[in-house]
Amino acid sequence: MASAAKVKAPALTSDDVLAWLGHDAPEYEQRKARKFVPPTVSIKDVHAAIPRHLFERNTVKGVFYVVRHVALSALFYAFATRTDLIAWRAASALGWGASGRSALGWACWVLYWFWQSVSFAGMWTLGHECGHDAISPHAWVNIACGMGLHTFMLTPYFAWRLTHRAHHKGTNHLSRDETYHPMVRSDFKNLPDVEHATKMDYKEILEETPGFTLFKMVIRQFLGFQLYLIHNRKGNPKYPPWTSHYNPDSKLFKPQDRNAIIVSDIAIGCMLVFLTTWSYFAGFHAVWSLYFTPWLWAHSWIVMFTYLQHSDPTVPYYREKTWTFARGALATVDRPVFGWIGEFFWHGIAHHHVAHHFFVNVPFYNLAQVTKAIKPVLGEYYCYDSTPTIYALWRSFTQCTFIEDEGDVVFFKNQRGEVGRECADAASTARDAKPAKEEKEADALAIAGLTG
């Protein structure tokens, strides 16, 4: 009797992983189901809804947040230098042997790495606020705090400040935005055009195993930001290969920015000398454990919340004909990333990012109130998503695969060539190509605090 043929188990797909991680939030599903018509909201209308006192920056309050945050990191560091003693005493009290002490020691280190990485990401966030002159009305206070915080995180302060402000001036504008630039269909050389591509074409060219997708995610999460700084990885392809934030003559900058870039480079050089000297006297293992491990983990948090702010299947990209500053600001998603941790340690950078994109120099501690004030004006165009963070990250990474080379308003398509969100009929989109009352871009930038 012939033995029955073994049935091969179906291969695990990205959708299977997505279903295991969680589910879409109701507001995401509602937004996805609603056909998109470009908004006609005016930044002046949004600005008018905000009480004037929320724009005021308080130096004492801003510096207090910086000092408090640095103090917390110092406390975490003090804890880490005593982990062996803590583990030994705890194991002795519990009557545990050497293996117990070792396990407690590792647990203490993991605890330190997590909380210090969270705190390091918060330092970077405060440096970001300094770059927007949101800590203080005095430029020197913002520069002193921002330079110190970002240099500690090995981020060139002036260089990144300039390109980040350019991102704000052209958010989700396909020719002008600086970061997380989407791939287009033509980037996949063997992928046929939309009219001729078959399901098998998408499967053979775009589909990945979850393991390979996870590998790519790990590389991007931990190294992606530094690779962007070094050679413009995932930056706008309009720049030459190996365009760097560390090159004073880079096409990223204007000639008048050259001296500021050199200052940033010197500061980063000083930080590297400090780390090298520390490693020489304390040993590289100590520096790796106390600084580089939480530093790497912090980069995963930074990439996570910055990527999810604008990369979403329901968020549009615009080309020149249809982009306005207000539409770019609205191509942003507020997310309650990690709940109170994101509010306290990351100063609401993910919770209230829509408001931040409209008015960059509003102090972060006022953004919750600003968000509440502008939501009625924005209506259905205010994007909020309470989808669990790790699920949302995997969803965007696997479903935001590419956009089409043509179209004035485009949405991401996934690995099967399916669009994340449908646009309304072409007549409606054409009718609303540019709002009749939209401000001149220079006026919008002035209102948003982006003239400098």
Side-chain angles (χ1 to χ4, degrees):
M1 182 176 177
S3 60
K6 291 184 178 180
V7 178
K8 186 177 180 180
L12 187 68
T13 67
S14 295
D15 288 342
D16 296 328
V17 176
L18 203 59
W20 178 78
L21 286 173
H23 57 83
D24 296 326
E27 58 273 4
Y28 173 87
E29 294 179 335
Q30 292 168 11
R31 187 165 59 250
K32 185 178 176 69
R34 189 168 57 241
K35 288 193 174 183
F36 181 78
V37 176
T40 57
V41 64
S42 161
I43 191 173
K44 288 183 178 178
D45 293 334
V46 181
H47 186 269
I50 303 171
R52 297 284 78 85
H53 72 275
L54 295 179
F55 289 92
E56 296 174 3
R57 293 162 290 173
N58 185 306
T59 300
V60 173
K61 192 171 185 178
V63 172
F64 163 76
Y65 278 103
V66 173
V67 172
R68 184 185 72 175
H69 201 104
V70 172
L72 283 171
S73 277
L75 286 174
F76 293 149
Y77 173 84
F79 167 81
T81 60
R82 293 163 175 79
T83 51
D84 292 338
L85 178 61
I86 292 170
W88 183 84
R89 287 182 175 176
S92 297
L94 294 169
W96 293 359
S99 59
R101 286 196 300 272
S102 177
L104 279 174
W106 273 105
C108 287
W109 275 111
V110 170
L111 192 66
Y112 166 73
W113 290 332
F114 174 79
W115 286 109
Q116 190 68 290
S117 73
V118 167
S119 187
F120 279 8
M123 282 192 187
W124 184 90
T125 300
L126 286 172
H128 156 270
E129 297 299 316
C130 294
H132 286 300
D133 301 320
I135 292 293
S136 168
H138 305 294
W140 70 269
V141 175
N142 292 302
I143 291 172
C145 292
M147 180 69 80
L149 292 164
H150 269 189
T151 299
F152 179 79
M153 288 298 297
L154 295 178
T155 298
Y157 176 70
F158 287 115
W160 186 79
R161 177 183 186 272
L162 288 164
T163 58
H164 182 65
R165 288 175 76 85
H167 154 68
H168 273 268
K169 293 177 181 179
T171 306
N172 280 35
H173 186 307
L174 283 167
S175 299
R176 292 166 49 185
D177 203 353
E178 294 286 339
T179 57
Y180 297 117
H181 206 272
M183 298 186 75
V184 295
R185 178 181 289 269
S186 59
D187 288 328
F188 302 95
K189 302 304 180 184
N190 297 320
L191 185 62
D193 60 50
V194 66
E195 294 180 355
H196 298 96
T198 65
K199 290 183 178 180
M200 187 56 66
D201 290 324
Y202 291 116
K203 182 178 179 65
E204 291 181 349
I205 297 170
L206 301 181
E207 192 173 276
E208 301 172 345
T209 64
F212 183 65
T213 300
L214 181 62
F215 169 76
K216 291 201 310 181
M217 278 189 69
V218 169
I219 296 298
R220 190 196 63 177
Q221 291 298 117
F222 289 93
L223 300 177
F225 179 64
Q226 289 297 324
L227 292 176
Y228 164 68
L229 295 176
I230 293 169
H231 70 95
N232 198 41
R233 183 181 182 273
K234 291 297 181 181
N236 197 310
K238 67 182 179 182
Y239 299 112
W242 286 91
T243 295
S244 175
H245 280 69
Y246 296 100
N247 181 1
D249 299 315
S250 170
K251 297 294 185 183
L252 292 167
F253 314 118
K254 298 176 182 178
Q256 60 265 33
D257 300 324
R258 193 174 191 277
N259 289 341
I261 307 308
I262 292 173
V263 170
S264 292
D265 289 349
I266 292 172
I268 294 297
C270 290
M271 184 63 189
L272 292 174
V273 168
F274 167 75
L275 291 171
T276 302
T277 304
W278 184 16
S279 298
Y280 177 80
F281 286 103
F284 181 73
H285 180 268
V287 179
W288 177 263
S289 299
L290 292 166
Y291 177 81
F292 280 111
T293 298
W295 178 83
L296 278 169
W297 205 346
H299 276 68
S300 74
W301 304 136
I302 293 167
V303 171
M304 177 188 71
F305 56 64
T306 56
Y307 175 67
L308 287 176
Q309 285 162 354
H310 306 288
S311 302
D312 185 272
T314 66
V315 169
Y317 279 87
Y318 297 94
R319 292 190 167 92
E320 181 62 34
K321 181 180 177 182
T322 51
W323 184 89
T324 67
F325 178 83
R327 287 176 177 176
L330 287 169
T332 306
V333 184
D334 280 351
R335 302 178 189 273
V337 173
F338 289 10
W340 70 269
I341 292 176
E343 283 275 24
F344 182 83
F345 282 98
W346 298 339
H347 310 286
I349 194 171
H351 288 65
H352 316 297
H353 205 64
V354 174
H356 170 68
H357 260 267
F358 272 104
F359 312 106
V360 298
N361 55 6
V362 169
F364 62 88
Y365 46 79
N366 287 341
L367 285 175
Q369 296 176 71
V370 173
T371 299
K372 184 178 180 180
I374 68 176
K375 282 171 65 176
V377 179
L378 304 181
E380 68 179 44
Y381 291 103
Y382 171 71
C383 293
Y384 176 81
D385 187 3
S386 62
T387 298
T389 302
I390 302 303
Y391 175 91
L393 183 64
W394 182 267
R395 181 182 66 196
S396 286
F397 197 80
T398 56
Q399 296 189 18
C400 298
T401 306
F402 72 97
I403 60 171
E404 294 294 345
D405 294 86
E406 298 179 354
D408 295 319
V409 182
V410 290
F411 286 86
F412 274 113
K413 290 187 173 181
N414 63 19
Q415 295 173 3
R416 296 188 296 273
E418 300 164 343
V419 70
R421 186 178 179 186
E422 296 285 349
C423 282
D425 61 274
S428 297
T429 302
R431 184 182 67 242
D432 295 316
K434 290 280 187 179
K437 296 183 179 180
E438 174 62 22
E439 299 85 3
K440 292 181 180 179
E441 186 174 336
D443 295 336
L445 294 177
I447 295 170
L450 287 164
T451 52

